[in-house]
Amino acid sequence: MDNKPENSPDTNTESVGIPAPEGPSNLIDTDYKIGQDNYQAAPMGVNVDIHGAVFTVSSLVILAFVILSLALPEQSTDWFGAAKDWINNNLSWFLIGAANIFVVLCLVLIVSPLGKVRIGGAKATPDFGYLSWFAMLFAAGMGVGLMFYGVSEPLTHYGTSLAGTTMGENGVRSDWAPLGAAAGDEGAALSLGMAATIFHWGLHPWAIYAIVALSLAIFSYNKGLPLTVRSMFYPLLGERIWGWPGHIIDILAVFATLFGLATSLGIGAQQAAAGLEHLFGIPGGDTTLVLLIAGITAVAVVSIVAGVDKGVKRLSEINLVLAFLLLMFVVFVGPTLMIATGFVKNLGSYIAELPFLSNPFAREDANFSQGWTTFYWAWWISWSPFVGMFIARVSRGRSVREFLTAVLLIPSTVSVFWMTAFGTTAIHQLQQGFEGAKDADLPVQLFEVLGQMPLAEITSFVGIVLVIVFFITSSDSGSLVIDTITAGGKIDAPKPQRVFWGVIEGAIAIALLVGGGLAALQSAAVAMGLPFTIVLLVGCYAIVKGLMSEPRGT
């Protein structure tokens, strides 16, 4: 991706693959050289090139967490659970309000003159055509989450909405229905359930990713700074970003990314294990989960060693084809007309309910807003350095307006259509009298729905393969992002470091699953997402300040 002109001076930036701006831009004048604080050595023939402070603190704290979680599973689960409960009870409003700020900022930047700023310099041209770029944004929008929640979330919200509200002994609602529910009204329950689902997979998560991606892209490709989270704080901290204030920011980004990834990997492992038991009768349990995570992590390590072109790229292409085929199968074999009309109706319901679902204050549906929305926002924020860096690296040459519009709309539309197809099919089966999916555990619900359709064994096997390959590509790509941060912004650091982080991701997922299962995964994501939310809110001011200093195209 190095597009620097041949007559450009040989700089350290070029050596690590970050292209110089093309045309007018406002480079930040700093004496800092990418990698100057790194420790470089080759112990026992293994090359390492790491940022001393960020790598050391991050790796030691994470290793200590894994050891303590495996040694004291009940205590660690209790701690994460207590942290999640405290955040839910006291700071749900903060996370919901923060996500609203990210959406508003994206919309303001799209319509403002700052939208004319071009990533990579005023004369930069896109590295990828529209079709390839859209496909990569689509790939970023797909993942383990859509496989896990594609059936379970619409089905759950539909059921709780239809059941209506219930009051506990203390006069507080004890149900999990969104907003005011829709007791006894199947049509209204369907609309509300799908609106609530789309809310968690639409504009808000992609606004979070867009802000992180835009910040990384502008301060790297336009300002000439390393491709790390600390760089976006230069307008506020100046040269201090190279000291401990910047180290802390990058360390928080590493923690958030690792726990966000571990949550996704743990969820994926649970669903893959459930699918293997459902299809082949392989017994579940902790042993199966540990072996599954260990095996898939080993494959991810092989993918890392093979390199991006031979590893992640090919796996991603395979998964996109399989995901598209499974989606089309559900659309055309399932209730096709109901899905087609439901897509438009669901978008309308989402828009109508959006002001109420995004309200951070005085919510009566505390279980829904705290148990679902707060978890999702913390999870997306934990994922944001990972997804944001990927989007930043493929979006050079786009204007801010073009970039934000595409990042908000393309993946959101794909997610809405996916949820509509799988959710509508599951709800239709329930309305026709099949309660197998409704009564099943969350990881099994997808396979129960596919089991009621033709070619059930084939589609269920495809579903298992999709989950496993999403696991591999997420681990591989996540390792690259974490390695970039812990290597001081270098994007071509030695592969053994990426292997290390890939193994660590699997170890965290195992530690959390063995300790407390899905609840522990969700608690860890919420606990780690909160501090990084503060980082991103401060970053909103920094990105506006950074854009204001850039020349604007026509």
Side-chain angles (χ1 to χ4, degrees):
M1 238 171 82
D2 193 343
N3 295 334
K4 182 176 287 190
E6 292 181 0
N7 59 352
S8 294
D10 187 19
T11 65
N12 191 47
T13 299
E14 184 182 36
S15 71
V16 293
I18 299 176
E22 298 178 16
S25 66
N26 188 19
L27 282 168
I28 289 176
D29 184 17
T30 176
D31 293 331
Y32 185 84
K33 302 295 183 183
I34 296 176
Q36 73 175 39
D37 294 329
N38 283 20
Y39 168 76
Q40 297 177 329
M44 294 181 291
V46 178
N47 292 323
V48 294
D49 186 355
I50 57 177
H51 189 286
V54 176
F55 182 91
T56 302
V57 173
S58 300
S59 57
L60 288 179
V61 171
I62 292 297
L63 285 172
F65 166 82
V66 171
I67 293 170
L68 288 173
S69 295
L70 292 175
L72 304 169
E74 293 183 4
Q75 291 87 338
S76 60
T77 301
D78 290 343
W79 186 87
F80 270 111
K84 177 189 175 185
D85 290 342
W86 186 86
I87 292 170
N88 282 346
N89 294 331
N90 297 281
L91 292 175
S92 283
W93 63 270
F94 175 73
L95 284 165
I96 295 173
N100 292 341
I101 290 172
F102 300 140
V103 173
V104 171
L105 178 58
C106 286
L107 297 177
V108 169
L109 289 176
I110 287 173
V111 300
S112 77
L114 297 179
K116 296 180 180 179
V117 174
R118 189 165 294 276
I119 298 171
K123 294 184 178 180
T125 55
D127 293 324
F128 303 95
Y130 275 115
L131 188 60
S132 297
W133 187 47
F134 288 162
M136 283 184 281
L137 294 180
F138 170 79
M142 297 296 293
V144 170
L146 285 178
M147 295 295 297
F148 192 86
Y149 288 108
V151 166
S152 64
E153 187 171 357
L155 197 59
T156 299
H157 295 330
Y158 169 77
T160 56
S161 297
L162 188 64
T165 61
T166 56
M167 303 298 290
E169 295 179 358
N170 55 359
V172 178
R173 277 177 55 179
S174 58
D175 63 272
W176 283 76
L179 301 179
D185 188 333
E186 289 189 351
L190 176 60
S191 296
L192 180 57
M194 291 306 303
T197 300
I198 293 171
F199 174 58
H200 293 145
W201 294 86
L203 291 178
H204 281 73
W206 287 100
I208 295 169
Y209 297 153
I211 291 298
V212 177
L214 181 61
S215 302
L216 291 170
I218 290 295
F219 283 99
S220 178
Y221 296 131
N222 293 58
K223 306 294 186 182
L225 298 182
L227 192 64
T228 60
V229 178
R230 73 171 73 198
S231 295
M232 60 195 272
F233 287 85
Y234 195 94
L236 297 175
L237 298 175
E239 292 294 311
R240 286 176 294 172
I241 68 167
W242 314 124
W244 273 104
H247 299 345
I248 292 171
I249 291 169
D250 278 350
I251 290 168
L252 286 174
V254 171
F255 289 163
T257 304
L258 272 173
F259 281 95
L261 275 169
T263 301
S264 299
L265 300 185
I267 285 174
Q270 283 188 320
Q271 188 167 35
L276 291 172
E277 183 175 11
H278 180 80
L279 194 57
F280 301 112
I282 298 174
D286 287 345
T287 302
T288 300
L289 286 173
V290 170
L291 291 175
L292 194 58
I293 293 175
I296 297 174
T297 299
V299 176
V301 167
V302 173
S303 177
I304 290 170
V305 174
V308 175
D309 288 338
K310 296 180 181 178
V312 179
K313 184 178 179 180
R314 290 182 180 177
L315 287 173
S316 297
E317 290 170 351
I318 293 171
N319 238 30
L320 282 177
V321 172
L322 289 177
F324 177 77
L325 291 175
L326 183 62
L327 177 62
M328 290 299 100
F329 174 84
V330 171
V331 169
F332 290 109
V333 177
T336 306
L337 182 61
M338 190 175 176
I339 292 172
T341 57
F343 177 71
V344 178
K345 291 179 180 178
N346 293 340
L347 280 176
S349 299
Y350 164 62
I351 294 171
E353 302 291 357
L354 182 59
F356 309 104
L357 290 167
S358 59
N359 172 31
F361 304 112
R363 294 284 292 265
E364 294 183 0
D365 55 346
N367 282 338
F368 170 81
S369 61
Q370 295 175 10
W372 282 94
T373 304
T374 299
F375 160 66
Y376 266 124
W377 288 181
W379 189 18
W380 301 145
I381 288 168
S382 296
W383 264 75
S384 61
F386 163 44
V387 180
M389 191 172 292
F390 171 79
I391 295 174
R393 291 179 67 174
V394 301
S395 299
R396 185 176 174 275
R398 303 292 175 186
S399 71
V400 170
R401 179 172 294 124
E402 183 182 24
F403 170 83
L404 290 176
T405 301
V407 172
L408 287 181
L409 294 184
I410 301 298
S412 295
T413 302
V414 172
S415 297
V416 170
F417 189 64
W418 183 280
M419 289 295 187
T420 295
F422 284 85
T424 299
T425 301
I427 293 170
H428 176 71
Q429 290 180 359
L430 178 62
Q431 292 174 341
Q432 296 299 308
F434 174 69
E435 297 188 353
K438 178 180 75 71
D439 296 334
D441 294 335
L442 290 186
V444 189
Q445 289 183 333
L446 169 65
F447 303 108
E448 289 288 348
V449 169
L450 294 176
Q452 296 301 302
M453 306 172 77
L455 306 176
E457 292 185 353
I458 295 176
T459 55
S460 294
F461 181 73
V462 169
I464 295 171
V465 171
L466 277 170
V467 171
I468 291 174
V469 178
F470 276 134
F471 189 136
I472 295 169
T473 54
S474 295
S475 177
D476 194 328
S477 302
S479 300
L480 174 61
V481 170
I482 296 169
D483 186 37
T484 300
I485 297 172
T486 56
K490 288 190 174 183
I491 60 176
D492 58 354
K495 287 182 180 178
Q497 297 170 201
R498 289 176 59 189
V499 171
F500 169 79
W501 289 117
V503 173
I504 288 295
E505 289 160 17
I508 295 174
I510 289 172
L512 290 171
L513 275 177
V514 171
L518 181 59
L521 294 170
Q522 293 177 334
S523 297
V526 171
M528 291 297 108
L530 178 65
F532 201 65
T533 304
I534 300 171
V535 172
L536 294 190
L537 285 173
V538 178
C540 288
Y541 171 75
I543 184 58
V544 172
K545 196 169 183 181
L547 286 172
M548 290 178 69
S549 66
E550 284 293 303
R552 299 161 199 173
T554 55

